[in-house]
Amino acid sequence: MFKQEKDRLPSLSDSEVKILNGILLFARKTDPNNKGFRKVNLQDVQNESMKETGNLIRVDEVNPLIEKKYLTEKIMDEKGVYLMVCLEDVEPLAKNWSLVNSLKRKLR
């Protein structure tokens, strides 16, 4: 709120918040590395998201969140495609945008 416009992250739609919350759910299941980042396998997210969240999260659906700088760039290795997620940074943002979008719907 008090940051300059150029330093603010772009807003998230309801669908983007659902995707971000799904990624966070899978990130909570992994242990953080020494820098606090958690490695999330996007193939596992795609395969298990319907069962875990009730929504299918495809690998390419995280691209807008990467472009908006909510998530890191994809990392590819021999085992798959991954994201590195810092829960302490991203979780409050997801909660805030969920709240903002809920308020927008109620106030219409």
Side-chain angles (χ1 to χ4, degrees):
M1 187 163 123
F2 298 106
K3 291 183 179 181
Q4 291 182 359
E5 190 65 38
K6 66 178 178 69
D7 296 331
R8 293 183 190 169
L9 290 172
S11 62
L12 293 179
S13 66
D14 283 333
S15 61
E16 290 170 328
V17 172
K18 284 182 183 178
I19 294 166
L20 187 57
N21 282 328
I23 296 294
L24 292 173
L25 175 75
F26 286 91
R28 284 186 209 100
K29 295 179 180 185
T30 63
D31 294 324
N33 66 10
N34 59 350
K35 294 182 181 179
F37 285 90
R38 298 165 188 258
K39 192 174 184 179
V40 178
N41 185 329
L42 290 177
Q43 199 63 41
D44 290 345
V45 170
Q46 181 170 307
N47 293 340
E48 302 293 323
S49 61
M50 187 57 112
K51 181 172 56 172
E52 296 284 331
T53 67
N55 298 312
L56 178 62
I57 300 172
R58 293 184 191 89
V59 173
D60 61 337
E61 289 181 324
V62 299
N63 292 344
L65 296 170
I66 293 169
E67 290 169 11
K68 291 181 177 184
K69 308 259 188 258
Y70 284 91
L71 296 173
T72 63
E73 292 291 324
K74 293 177 188 173
I75 301 167
M76 298 179 89
D77 69 9
E78 63 277 350
K79 296 179 183 175
V81 180
Y82 297 89
L83 287 173
M84 299 302 285
V85 178
C86 182
L87 282 181
E88 293 76 23
D89 294 340
V90 180
E91 204 164 24
L93 297 172
K95 289 178 182 179
N96 289 343
W97 281 113
S98 294
L99 179 64
V100 167
N101 289 337
S102 294
L103 287 171
K104 283 181 181 178
R105 280 192 304 278
K106 297 286 184 196
L107 296 174
R108 285 186 192 157

